[in-house]
Amino acid sequence: MPLHRLHIQTTGPGLYDVAQQAERFVSEQSCADALLTVFVRHTSCSLVIQENADPDVQRDLQSFFARLVPSGDDPSMSWLAHTAEGPDDMPAHIKAALTQTSIGIPVADGRLALGTWQGIYLFEHRRRPHRRELVLHLTG
């Protein structure tokens, strides 16, 4: 059961496509049918499978989450207790809790069984750059 650590450098909020790196890892394993688990080892970013063709989808998704969970310095978020790490930290934790830290993707005939318009994204919720670590684990 091969395991690989993938490091992604982020530059701020946004969706960072990791599908090619995941596909490369799978293809190097010579496994026909399996399950790839992608896990992010952080609490202020998350993983999503989302549209990979129209960048408006990503912009709209980011705008939705910004409206759903505003920055900690927004008056509507004055109830937050965890504020020591900046106004974007606790909102980032909330956004991560609303999404996923682990995704399972079937592998069929040695390739990720993603749909035509699907991509795998690290969803960064913090404002400043971070070095994020993903664990890819292939079972099958």
Side-chain angles (χ1 to χ4, degrees):
M1 293 193 286
L3 186 132
H4 176 69
R5 295 177 192 276
L6 178 62
H7 295 94
I8 305 297
Q9 184 64 47
T10 67
T11 57
L15 286 91
Y16 296 82
D17 191 347
V18 298
Q20 283 186 328
Q21 294 100 316
E23 187 74 56
R24 186 176 318 115
F25 167 69
V26 168
S27 69
E28 291 169 354
Q29 306 315 310
S30 302
C31 187
D33 298 319
L35 177 68
L36 175 67
T37 301
V38 182
F39 175 75
V40 63
R41 299 188 65 215
H42 304 277
T43 60
S44 58
C45 63
S46 56
L47 297 168
V48 294
I49 292 180
Q50 201 46 254
E51 161 125 12
N52 65 7
D54 186 348
D56 285 345
V57 172
Q58 293 179 23
R59 279 192 288 276
D60 289 348
L61 189 61
Q62 290 178 75
S63 294
F64 170 77
F65 272 93
R67 292 178 69 183
L68 185 65
V69 186
S71 177
D73 51 11
D74 186 284
S76 68
M77 299 296 277
S78 63
W79 55 271
L80 291 177
H82 178 74
T83 59
E85 294 180 56
D88 68 327
D89 186 46
M90 190 60 215
H93 291 297
I94 295 169
K95 291 171 187 176
L98 293 172
T99 52
Q100 307 171 86
T101 56
S102 181
I103 295 177
I105 303 149
V107 174
D109 298 322
R111 302 209 53 209
L112 294 176
L114 292 171
T116 301
W117 308 113
Q118 289 182 316
I120 308 166
Y121 295 92
L122 169 72
F123 195 178
E124 177 62 70
H125 303 301
R126 297 295 306 267
R127 290 180 187 161
R128 64 179 171 80
H130 282 81
R131 185 172 190 254
R132 301 302 195 172
E133 183 177 345
L134 282 65
V135 178
L136 309 180
H137 185 228
L138 193 62
T139 308

